[in-house]
Amino acid sequence: MTTAEAASAPAGGLPFQTARTRRFSLGVPRQFTVSPDGGQVLFLRTTGGTDPVSRLWLHENGGERILADPPALRRKDADPGEVPEEELARRERARETSTGVVSYATDAEVRLVAFALQGELWVVRTDGGTPRRVATAGSVVDPRPSPDGALIAYVSGGALRTVRSDGTDDRPVAVPEERTGHVTYGLSDYVSAESLGRPRGYWWSPDSDALLVARVDTSMVQRRYISDPANPERPPRAVAYPAAGTANAEVSLHVVRVSGERVAVRLPTAAGEDHPQGTWTDPAFEYVATAAWDRHGPLVSVQTRDQRSVYVLAVNPATGETRTLHRAHDPAWVALRPGTPLRLASGALVVPAQPGGDTQGLDIDGRTTPPGLEVREVVGAVDDRVFFTASEEPTDIHIWSCAVGSTGDGPVRISGTPGVHTAAAGGPTLVLDSRTPDGQTVSVLRDGAPAGRIGVLAETPVVTPRPLALSLGERELRSHLYLPSWHRPGDDRLPVLLSPYAGHGMQLVLQARGWWTAVAQWFAEQGFAVLVTDGRGTPGRGKAWEKSVRGDRLTAVLRDQMDALHAAVARYPQLDPGRVAMRGWSFSGYLAAAAVLRHPEVFHAAVAGAAPTDRRLYDTHWEERFLGHPEVDPETYERNSLLTEAHRLTRPLMLVHGLADDNVTVAHMLRFSAALLAAGRPHTVLPLSGATHLVTQEETAAHLLVLERDFLKKSLDR
């Protein structure tokens, strides 16, 4: 079957393959844990590219075996849909696409593994034995063994409890003071999980005698009620969602001894920082960005509500007093670099830094990474050697390492092949997860030498992506152009489809094959020239590039898309500038709608999926980072809202939205559609019953791409 035939095949075509493989995520190994001696690697993976049930696996001595197989463990009387609401929320925040074992935790030596299955606690040993169920006082969320493996902590009904690994002595260690359901111990709040990247709510001490615990009070947070209109007999689901300008959950930290003693962590303020004149500031540390407990004690980073200050704090576990180890301040916002702060075995601190110019790098015990090396994430450390991902060219992300101390070397690149690489480390072993234009491989290296591979069982797309890598315009915009495999010189000119993300925190123009590259090529095989561009606001090109969207989320981003389009048209005469469309989801859905509203002379049709059209409806941390506080800067929110521009629509526009989306709620689409209707502007609305922000229903996801194609073809051929 040729690429063009595969693209259009009704049963085996790319849209249906993308749907049944959950965007090619099934069969992909993930969540690697390497034992301290480097001899064992734990990971999660389904058994194939269409199997939705995730298993716990062990790689050892060059081979793999299943440690926990959920279908074999499920009790006959267990309800397969009986999952605690807190766990369902955690999965939604993590955009989890599988079922079964979706997370796990181990003791310090990676000998005992704990996981939750249908609200029950299970444990298995990596040195032999079969999984066994541990009786608990209630349904289980986020179980985590103590470092010595004697106890397992878990959350149930908003309380943090511990049970011995043999199933005895189940007891509460932190219980909500009230029964309203607003207070929890050991769980993350919405903003911390969704925007801060902190899904956890408690951390064991290395001595297994205490825990650092987050107390979350959502009583002051406004509620949203997510209903299922297709099943009106079902009650709505309440979500504590802090929209921009409204109250956040109150998050406090407490050191709780297993024996019952407890002390509150006392946080400072950032009152002494300098701020730009005339801007909204808030010196209170409203966000607990990260937390950990290493051999030197608890380590916490906190951020002010205005996001301009971040402090790294050492906590005295006996008194709750804090000592400031590092301060960061930025007039726009302090970027939270994943994996930092990190404290090494020697006590050396690893924090974000700007080593010179515009580069965003690391400070490793007082030494900064070199200018030009754009650090993305710290993935771990072994003793005093740090492993991190970084780019010298924004479309390439490699694994680097750096040792501290006077004899420490400078940053050394470990991965070689162009692509997107990440890793997990333990002892002398490094698990190297590499995504290249040819696909994905997971290699196990021991002392730098190959020691085996972990199988990637994902399906190969039936459409082979064929992107042309481009650098367009005066800003050298990194772009990919996808052309039909069947198009020949002299054929009719092709309509152009822009299919970017173009928003903060995500790149699509990378030297790697992803689900989006296959989808872009599929649209090309349908008769489009597909252009994907990473413009200003996306990561990988320095501080000024990333923060250029402060106060205006659309103007520069749209300008970059248009500049890339014009440069591509000038270079490739087969592109037709008289037939141009944009499609997107989430931020890029917002961008697509804005494109036809603001520049109908350039864009002739758009499909906007899950578009956050009213920025006041989005969450505090994410939205206030770019636009400030809506009560202080109401005109900024007005300029960035599409509702007030609805009267400008003169081009075909399809709005798509999941009715169960609790990230970008369907209210965004309904308010925008109402504004368009009030202005007398015709448009198409496609509601997706039961769909969340990530559309996982197989039939819905498959046919959605086909409906988008048909709408765009019809609109551009008018």
Side-chain angles (χ1 to χ4, degrees):
M1 182 182 291
T2 66
T3 297
E5 289 171 338
S8 58
L14 192 280
F16 298 88
Q17 186 189 31
T18 301
R20 66 174 177 263
T21 62
R22 311 281 172 87
R23 293 179 173 177
F24 303 97
S25 65
L26 302 179
V28 176
R30 58 199 175 89
Q31 293 187 32
F32 302 102
T33 300
V34 185
S35 61
D37 63 4
Q40 297 176 313
V41 179
L42 288 173
F43 62 96
L44 300 180
R45 188 185 61 199
T46 71
T47 60
T50 58
D51 174 19
V53 181
S54 188
R55 277 85 168 173
L56 176 66
W57 298 74
L58 174 67
H59 180 279
E60 188 176 27
N61 298 323
E64 302 174 2
R65 62 183 174 92
I66 294 178
L67 282 181
D69 186 1
L73 301 179
R74 185 176 294 124
R75 294 183 293 120
K76 293 182 180 180
D77 59 343
D79 180 356
E82 190 179 331
V83 180
E85 185 175 326
E86 298 93 338
E87 179 61 25
L88 290 174
R90 282 165 51 84
R91 295 182 187 182
E92 175 64 18
R93 300 285 77 74
R95 306 289 184 262
E96 181 59 55
T97 60
S98 66
T99 59
V101 183
V102 297
S103 64
Y104 67 92
T106 77
D107 62 2
E109 295 300 317
V110 191
R111 293 290 179 261
L112 182 72
V113 190
F115 58 93
L117 197 61
Q118 305 303 130
E120 296 177 336
L121 173 59
W122 288 80
V123 297
V124 64
R125 295 193 62 84
T126 60
D127 52 6
T130 59
R132 59 182 175 83
R133 188 168 66 90
V134 177
T136 57
S139 61
V140 172
V141 176
D142 195 24
R144 294 186 173 272
S146 57
D148 63 8
L151 297 171
I152 301 172
Y154 68 95
V155 180
S156 182
L160 183 64
R161 305 181 65 90
T162 61
V163 62
R164 297 193 65 80
S165 56
D166 62 6
T168 62
D169 196 24
D170 190 320
R171 64 172 66 184
V173 294
V175 179
E177 300 81 4
E178 51 181 271
R179 296 186 177 274
T180 61
H182 298 324
V183 176
T184 60
Y185 282 94
L187 293 177
S188 186
D189 61 293
Y190 182 94
V191 163
S192 295
E194 184 72 39
S195 295
L196 291 169
R198 180 178 61 78
R200 295 181 56 186
Y202 71 90
W203 302 265
W204 276 104
S205 70
D207 295 331
S208 304
D209 61 344
L211 303 103
L212 180 64
V213 183
R215 178 187 185 273
V216 175
D217 183 355
T218 63
S219 60
M220 65 291 295
V221 180
Q222 64 177 212
R223 260 55 181 177
R224 288 183 172 176
Y225 298 91
I226 311 298
S227 62
D228 183 1
N231 295 279
E233 72 280 2
R234 296 178 183 173
R237 177 169 59 95
V239 177
Y241 188 101
T246 68
N248 278 313
E250 182 182 278
V251 181
S252 56
L253 293 173
H254 304 261
V255 176
V256 181
R257 300 283 172 185
V258 173
S259 56
E261 297 89 350
R262 172 172 158 180
V263 62
V265 176
R266 304 176 187 178
L267 300 180
T269 66
E273 302 286 4
D274 293 328
H275 296 275
Q277 292 186 352
T279 61
W280 164 61
T281 63
D282 189 340
F285 287 110
E286 201 154 310
Y287 299 115
V288 177
T290 66
W293 197 330
D294 57 31
R295 69 178 65 179
H296 304 285
L299 182 71
V300 175
S301 70
V302 290
Q303 187 178 43
T304 52
R305 171 93 182 230
D306 65 12
Q307 301 185 49
R308 293 186 174 101
S309 297
V310 171
Y311 283 18
V312 178
L313 307 171
V315 179
N316 184 327
T319 65
E321 297 290 342
T322 60
R323 177 170 55 90
T324 302
L325 301 180
H326 182 264
R327 292 184 177 92
H329 182 75
D330 189 274
W333 71 79
V334 176
L336 301 175
R337 196 64 57 205
T340 64
L342 175 68
R343 191 160 46 187
L344 305 180
S346 63
L349 194 63
V350 181
V351 293
Q354 282 192 251
D358 196 40
T359 305
Q360 300 183 101
L362 290 178
D363 181 309
I364 304 174
D365 194 29
R367 298 170 57 193
T368 58
T369 49
L373 186 61
E374 186 80 4
V375 173
R376 308 300 194 94
E377 178 180 7
V378 173
V379 297
V382 175
D383 297 325
D384 279 350
R385 179 169 291 276
V386 182
F387 296 89
F388 59 93
T389 62
S391 302
E392 294 173 296
E393 151 60 38
T395 61
D396 249 351
I397 303 176
H398 284 282
I399 286 291
W400 298 71
S401 77
C402 186
V404 304
S406 58
T407 59
D409 51 16
V412 176
R413 199 176 96 178
I414 297 173
S415 51
T417 306
V420 176
H421 306 267
T422 187
T429 297
L430 187 75
V431 178
L432 184 61
D433 187 348
S434 302
R435 298 171 187 255
T436 71
D438 297 323
Q440 182 179 6
T441 59
V442 178
S443 306
V444 180
L445 308 177
R446 191 172 180 88
D447 293 321
R453 282 197 171 185
I454 293 174
V456 179
L457 308 181
E459 286 195 4
T460 300
V462 296
V463 174
T464 302
R466 304 167 62 247
L468 300 173
L470 307 175
S471 181
L472 299 173
E474 63 180 15
R475 284 182 293 281
E476 299 181 336
L477 298 162
R478 303 309 196 268
S479 303
H480 279 166
L481 178 64
Y482 300 79
L483 298 173
S485 60
W486 45 262
H487 195 265
R488 297 292 180 265
D491 289 353
D492 291 340
R493 299 174 82 185
L494 297 166
V496 185
L497 175 61
L498 274 63
S499 186
Y501 178 72
H504 184 73
M506 184 183 294
Q507 288 176 266
L508 296 187
V509 183
L510 296 162
Q511 295 197 57
R513 190 177 74 196
W515 65 266
W516 60 91
T517 65
V519 168
Q521 188 65 50
W522 178 80
F523 271 105
E525 301 300 337
Q526 307 308 301
F528 296 93
V530 181
L531 183 64
V532 181
T533 300
D534 288 338
R536 281 170 287 182
T538 59
R541 294 194 62 174
K543 175 182 172 181
W545 183 273
E546 185 176 354
K547 297 182 179 181
S548 61
V549 296
R550 180 70 169 85
D552 187 339
R553 305 204 63 186
L554 286 171
T555 304
V557 179
L558 270 174
R559 172 51 56 192
D560 285 347
Q561 295 299 313
M562 291 188 294
D563 286 354
L565 170 66
H566 296 149
V569 167
R571 189 179 302 185
Y572 295 91
Q574 60 265 54
L575 275 58
D576 184 355
R579 292 183 296 160
V580 178
M582 186 185 291
R583 65 177 293 269
W585 195 266
S586 198
F587 178 85
S588 53
Y590 167 67
L591 186 66
V596 290
L597 290 176
R598 294 189 174 187
H599 295 283
E601 77 284 2
V602 175
F603 300 99
H604 307 100
V607 174
T613 57
D614 185 351
R615 307 311 309 193
R616 287 176 178 266
L617 291 177
Y618 211 68
D619 81 62
T620 50
H621 191 271
W622 190 265
E623 208 55 48
E624 292 170 6
R625 176 186 320 170
F626 309 107
L627 304 183
H629 197 291
E631 292 183 3
V632 179
D633 300 309
E635 66 284 350
T636 304
Y637 280 80
E638 193 82 2
R639 287 197 308 270
N640 285 271
S641 170
L642 299 186
L643 273 61
T644 57
E645 301 184 42
H647 64 281
R648 295 183 176 181
L649 183 65
T650 59
R651 297 295 191 182
L653 171 63
M654 175 189 279
L655 304 177
V656 186
H657 218 112
L659 298 182
D661 193 337
D662 67 358
N663 179 17
V664 181
T665 64
V666 72
H668 285 271
M669 186 267 282
L670 294 174
R671 291 185 183 185
F672 186 41
S673 178
L676 291 167
L677 185 62
R681 303 302 180 184
H683 59 287
T684 300
V685 172
L686 179 59
L688 307 179
S689 180
T692 61
H693 199 59
L694 180 63
V695 181
T696 56
Q697 298 98 323
E698 187 171 323
E699 290 300 317
T700 300
H703 288 287
L704 179 56
L705 284 176
V706 176
L707 290 172
E708 286 188 54
R709 175 201 64 189
D710 293 347
F711 175 83
L712 292 168
K713 277 183 169 291
K714 179 181 178 181
S715 299
L716 294 179
D717 288 342
R718 288 181 177 180

